[in-house]
Amino acid sequence: MNKFDLRLARPYAPQQFAMLNELYRDVQREALRLRVNGEDVEILVPVHKTLLEVLREDMGLTGTKHGCELGECGTCTVLVDGRPQLSCLLLPIQLGRNEITTVEGLGGTAQLTPLQQAFAELGAAQCGYCTPAMLLAATSLLRQEPKPTRQTIREALAGNLCRCTGYVKIVEAVELAAERTRHG
Amino acid sequence: MLVAGGTDLYPKLKRRQFDPDTLIGLSGLEELRRVTGDARSGLRLGALVTLAEAAEHSALVQAHPGYAEAAGLVSSPPLRNVGTIGGNLCVDTRCNYYDMTYEWRESVGFCLKKDGDICLVAPGSPRCWAISSSDTAPVAIALGATVTLVGPEGERELPVSAPYRDDGIEYLAKRPFEVLVSLRLPPTDGVRTAYAKLRRRGSIDFPIAGAGVALKTDGHCVEWARLVMSGVGSHPVEAPAAGEFLAGKQLTAEVIAAAAELAAKPAKPLDNADLNHFWRKRMVRVLVEQALERAATQDQGVLGRG
Amino acid sequence: MAERQELKVVGRPLPRVDAAAKVTGVAVYADDLHLPRMLHCRILRSPHPHARIVSVDATAARRIPGVKAVLTGQDLPIRFGILPVSQDERALESEKVRYVGDPVAAVAAVEEEIAEAALRSIRVEYELLQPVMSIEEALQEPPDEPIHDRAYTRQPANLHRRVNYEFGDLEAGFAAADHVREDVFFFQGNTHLPMEQHSAVATYVDGRLTLWSSTQVVHYVHRTLAKVLELPMNRVRVIGAVHGGGFGGKTDPFSHEIVVARLAMVTGRPVKCTLTREEVFYAHRGRHPVMMWVRTGVTRGGRITGQHWRTALDGGAYGSYGAASVFYTGTLQTVTYDIPAYKFEGVRVFTNKAPCGPKRGHGTPQPRFALELHLEKIAVDLGLDPVELKRQNFVKPFTRSVNWLRVTSCGLEECTEKVLAASGYRRRERRPGRGMGFAVSAYMSGAGTAIYWNDMPHSEVNLKVDRTGVTAFCGAMEIGQGSDSVLALVVAEELGIGPGEVRLTTADTDLTPVDLGSYSSRVTFMAGNAALEAARRMRLLLVEAVAEKMGVRGDLSEIEVGDGRVGDFSFEEACELATARFGALSSTGSYTPPRMGGPFKGSGVGPSPAYSYSACVLALEADARTGLVRVERVWIAHDVGRAINPLLVAGQVEGSVYMGLGEALMEEQAYRKGRHKWPSMLEYKSPTFVDMPEVETFIVETIDPEGPYGAKEAGQGPLLPVIPALNAALHDALGIWIDEVPVTPEKVLRALEAKSKGQPPRHGPKGFPAVDYGAPIRVEPPDPRDMRVGEELEAAFREAEGRRLC
């Protein structure tokens, strides 16, 4: 649980635990309106809760995964105004009006996006755990750079770790999706 | 405690390396997000300009490619989309006895920098040896850039190098409640910059050594040069001897090698970052050479490359 | 039923059956589960590498509002472990802790933060013991007490397991040699680093326990829960959640799985525990650090006459798979090279580190690295081409090795040809700083002997067919490698339908028959064969019903099955006809490997129904000034027998290359001051996109006679040759040997320095510690042409006097 825990930032002596419920009630909560996948969502969250936690725990958007919760693996990538950012290091209170996109905001099973289609066809997802993050980072890349070179793809996705694929099929899938988007 | 992008601070809060009562987010300050000016007049970067924006900003890339390159080498793409240039200048010093979870630090025994009273890297040392890990500070300092700080006592502009202290804990001498609001880079005026970074992987990693260079030539010879290193001390380490040596000389391979030798002398890597510190010490010379070579060849044709 | 020639779906590069779920984010992994009234669990772990527990006081934790239950070691006293011979772990320790991270207490609370806070209020008093942090220290008598009781280990010092075998006449082997060479090597430990943190959720309803877990082995978790919680197995259900990466790291039953189960029983509420990334480093079970000594005799022409190995494994704090791992460091050398006399001595020691276990290649990447490099050195000694030296010693297909391993299909030659041709290895430019290296390897397609010795199948498949279609049930666990897709493809192929028409229920112990799990590269071979049998039986029922309707008698082979049709009828009609004819339709299939091991104790580790083969060429650039190495390109050929899905095979091969490169260059489970040096994804270095070279993959098909459609394994073998190929390439580039993994730039510079001083141009261990391996078990080698297995082999053993069947 690499979580923010501002109210418990200092280790408490045992006698202080009696006060924990009090502390808990004192947690500052904010009513926020977030725009996620094109929908406005109103939520009441403790100010120290990360976007990752809010998405997964409060909004049921469990497509966003986590591998470290410390900004070291890229697995929790979401798009904020179209750019990949790490949801484990974002506080919703700092986001406000930004447009947040998670993997659930790409195509659904009924209508895959070209990237999702290419990932599926080429076997770019094995265990699939890093896949949502890869898709989002690649989506952002192709919007900015419809004809990326291999090197550009590698550099754009270099904040996202994968342990299954050796990245080979992911790079190929991004290339395929780029080509199809250009010619389709 | 102030927070801009939070890419460095938030993991540290989760690992209980800081325990502030209050966090003050700066992200609402729209005016700190702007880049103004150009290569001719100099550029002013608001502290909240993201590292990605700085790396891609065309006027900045043109004016001071070494600085833009350094910004583009920080961490990884998603973190550069959030991390700011102000944050990177103020980034906390690092140490692999310190950048660990509370439980890990408790298990090994807390260190000077947080919750403890000894330095685990150099147990006899009265000071903390955490490492300055900013990629952008070396080039900014080499360029002679300035920062503007705003606090209750008003605004002050000072050289980028001024706030840094050679101390792993008090590495940044800001006054209480002072906020770094902008970075001013001088006009290009023929100045060339370059940055070379050492890290194990091609992405994500902090510098375990880095060299920033700014220099100006008269077409043949170096008029002035400044070299600053990252990752080799608790502050960005300047190498004035190397700069003085370069003045008046042509940037031949021999001259570059000799300058790098001089520059590497003050670098003191310790065993608190990735890879072996003796090797890192040896690499400083290579990095300085690389940075000098790149600065020298930015403009094809004029400088000696023999 | 005759093997049909033309395959419809097998062999085609089809998308995985779970592709859509994975690319849309709807796949539900263990930590994605959220059940009503669910509690969150955190586990208190030891801050000390080695200590006795004097007392645990959880009174304060129990008083915290929101805390629903606290467990300490007394609540879970029964020991467990993946191997029956190594029942040495407890879900929560009550007597002593053996590494930083050893679980001591657990809390279930309404919020994860409250559970975490409660942990900090638990007072544990420890009496510190001297930690043992290296193989050398573990070989000495400890100053205070051994890590584990002598009553359990029955070994001196901190030894866990010793093995000592001599196959054939080693002395004669060395006597026949023109040249004898000795080398020492060290392979540092590393970890799996799956992207998904381990996670488990338990419920306890109506006296029945259900556990969802990110495990590779639902069956062994099932066994362990039943044992530790003292429940009959029919009261325990284990379900494999969608799995976020294992690589061997989720092949043991874990403390947190048992703890959430007990907490669910105590509280009557669902309980979840998701490990933090730091805890994943402590769960570990990763690659053993291994010291190796090898001595080989060769003729002038390079033919191996004898080989002698000594290995020492740093096992960490617990047994895990270690009793098998130590065998694996000495067993599979003989399935790539024909070695007429072979001796192997191995020891595994306990140290106060996170326990080691199986990681991709289990126990074999270390000796493979040493062996390939050792042969390179011999080639240099003799002035021979290393490829040709290796090649003349390659095992031949359908032979039996000196240590009784039966080799069937073997594509070593074809793999070698492919990578040599594609890489231009022979025509490579000789320039300082650039080099190419070549290596080969082999791996098992599942272990021939199960963890629990019994006569039951290793894999079972049930097939249900009714008017709504086909469902396959199997205990096999999809961990990303594509086992679900393999099952669907096999069933679809036999029933002549599309793989999308096969519904799958896998890895659910209430619903699916037993499969032993996703480890030792066994699933395609074993579950594939079980599925094949079940599907062929079902096919026969459909054909019989259709034949009757069509009035065909006698030879049923004219009833064609394929393209959604059975004879004159659609598949759906055939299902209805068969249901009407036979009643409820189901068929079963199972796979039990034949007995293959030799007539000696310990022969159970190593035999596999088939071995995969790989060959690799790696090209790199190395900078003599910095010691930095940049891998430019990897060519890899893998003999997979048959690629049931070439897309998935290529994915496994590429992933193996990647993981091999990570191990060769950067990955390191390092310790300092008694604890993991860097339990984080930032400091434990794994290669990123920009660190990965281009990979050219060649799939070689040798059509194994016993694999499903001829298939063998794909997921582990291709990792093995990558590491020695890199070190060989480094020698090619700079004329130095790095006899240690990982290859860091500093080590390269040290070797270059030694070279410039006229010393041996190497960096690596100076020697090998003195180990008393005990007396060897001497085994007479088999006739290399003896391919008998099972009953036939057993009968032969019974006949031969003085030989004992094991």
Side-chain angles (χ1 to χ4, degrees), chain A residues 9-57:
Chain A
R10 292 179 200 84
Y12 284 84
Q15 64 272 21
Q16 286 179 275
F17 277 102
M19 295 157 57
L20 195 90
N21 244 9
E22 290 306 312
L23 282 165
Y24 194 66
R25 259 184 237 122
D26 282 349
V27 167
Q28 190 188 338
R29 287 164 194 270
E30 288 275 335
L32 297 174
R33 174 176 284 198
L34 294 178
R35 193 159 172 80
V36 180
N37 300 331
E39 291 172 25
D40 285 322
V41 187
E42 278 185 38
I43 44 163
L44 182 71
V45 287
V47 290
H48 63 269
K49 209 161 179 182
T50 62
L51 179 63
L52 171 71
E53 291 154 3
V54 169
L55 290 171
R56 289 178 55 82
E57 295 164 17

Side-chain angles (χ1 to χ4, degrees), chain C residues 348-399:
Chain C
R348 183 183 192 258
V349 298
F350 286 121
T351 56
N352 293 111
K353 306 181 191 174
C356 296
K359 182 184 172 192
R360 211 169 195 168
H362 190 189
T364 72
Q366 301 98 325
R368 178 57 54 187
F369 155 73
L371 174 57
E372 294 295 310
L373 219 51
H374 176 64
L375 293 180
E376 291 274 328
K377 293 182 185 203
I378 290 173
V380 172
D381 291 347
L382 298 177
L384 297 174
D385 174 61
V387 176
E388 287 317 311
L389 181 136
K390 290 177 182 180
R391 217 167 173 171
Q392 62 169 300
N393 289 292
F394 278 174
V395 297
K396 302 285 177 291
F398 301 97
T399 52

Side-chain angles (χ1 to χ4, degrees), chain C residues 119-439:
Chain C
L119 291 186
R120 288 186 215 149
S121 76
I122 298 173
R123 302 260 153 223
V124 186
E125 197 187 328
Y126 293 102
E127 179 192 324
L128 302 191
L129 297 167
Q130 194 67 33
V132 177
M133 298 306 291
S134 70
I135 293 169
E136 289 86 346
E137 284 174 62
L139 292 168
Q140 309 299 321
E141 280 302 324
D144 33 34
E145 63 176 55
I147 295 168
H148 286 277
D149 277 357
R150 289 272 151 80
Y152 156 56
T153 63
R154 296 202 201 105
Q155 297 279 350
N158 271 303
L159 271 50
H160 171 211
R161 199 82 171 171
R162 284 183 288 180
V163 296
N164 191 346
Y165 290 94
E166 189 172 330
F167 301 94
D169 189 344
L170 191 73
E171 209 175 307
F174 282 119
D178 298 314
H179 175 65
V180 174
R181 184 181 172 98
E182 280 178 29
D183 283 299
V184 283
F185 298 93
F186 177 63
F187 197 117
Q188 175 62 297
N190 54 54
T191 200
H192 321 81
L193 202 78
M195 294 310 296
E196 178 200 33
Q197 300 146 241
H198 303 49
S199 183
V201 181
T203 63
Y204 189 67
V205 179
D206 291 340
R208 291 184 188 275
L209 176 78
T210 303
L211 182 90
W212 289 263
S213 182
S214 53
T215 178
Q216 297 177 237
V217 288
V218 287
H219 175 65
Y220 294 116
V221 174
H222 192 185
R223 274 181 183 268
T224 304
L225 290 176
K227 179 187 179 192
V228 178
L229 303 172
E230 297 178 283
L231 291 171
M233 284 183 91
N234 63 24
R235 295 262 163 195
V236 179
R237 177 182 188 183
V238 180
I239 302 171
V242 178
H243 197 275
F247 317 109
K250 295 169 181 168
T251 317
D252 285 57
F254 282 101
S255 157
H256 67 278
E257 293 170 321
I258 300 164
V259 162
V260 290
R262 172 64 89 203
L263 285 169
M265 293 170 74
V266 170
T267 61
R269 292 171 69 164
V271 183
K272 184 201 284 188
C273 182
T274 301
L275 302 191
T276 64
R277 179 52 61 181
E278 182 179 358
E279 290 180 296
V280 173
F281 281 96
Y282 300 147
H284 192 44
R285 321 290 156 148
R287 186 85 71 224
H288 285 76
V290 184
M291 301 190 69
M292 292 162 282
W293 172 92
V294 55
R295 181 168 189 253
T296 301
V298 285
T299 64
R300 212 162 281 114
R303 188 72 185 83
I304 298 170
T305 59
Q307 193 166 75
H308 183 180
W309 284 84
R310 290 187 182 131
T311 67
L313 293 77
D314 182 345
Y318 291 98
S320 181
Y321 283 81
S325 316
V326 61
F327 277 97
Y328 281 126
T329 62
T331 304
L332 295 191
Q333 284 87 326
T334 56
V335 295
T336 50
Y337 299 113
D338 174 17
I339 305 169
Y342 186 76
K343 184 172 165 71
F344 160 56
E345 298 165 293
V347 64
R348 183 183 192 258
V349 298
F350 286 121
T351 56
N352 293 111
K353 306 181 191 174
C356 296
K359 182 184 172 192
R360 211 169 195 168
H362 190 189
T364 72
Q366 301 98 325
R368 178 57 54 187
F369 155 73
L371 174 57
E372 294 295 310
L373 219 51
H374 176 64
L375 293 180
E376 291 274 328
K377 293 182 185 203
I378 290 173
V380 172
D381 291 347
L382 298 177
L384 297 174
D385 174 61
V387 176
E388 287 317 311
L389 181 136
K390 290 177 182 180
R391 217 167 173 171
Q392 62 169 300
N393 289 292
F394 278 174
V395 297
K396 302 285 177 291
F398 301 97
T399 52
R400 199 164 216 127
S401 77
V402 70
N403 56 340
W404 285 81
L405 301 182
R406 182 196 62 149
V407 172
T408 55
S409 61
C410 167
L412 263 180
E413 272 295 338
E414 296 91 319
C415 289
T416 300
E417 276 303 322
K418 289 268 189 220
V419 293
L420 289 181
S423 65
Y425 178 86
R426 299 216 177 283
R427 292 167 281 107
R428 71 189 183 278
E429 185 190 10
R430 301 295 182 117
R431 190 146 58 86
R434 291 177 72 89
M436 276 195 186
F438 166 85

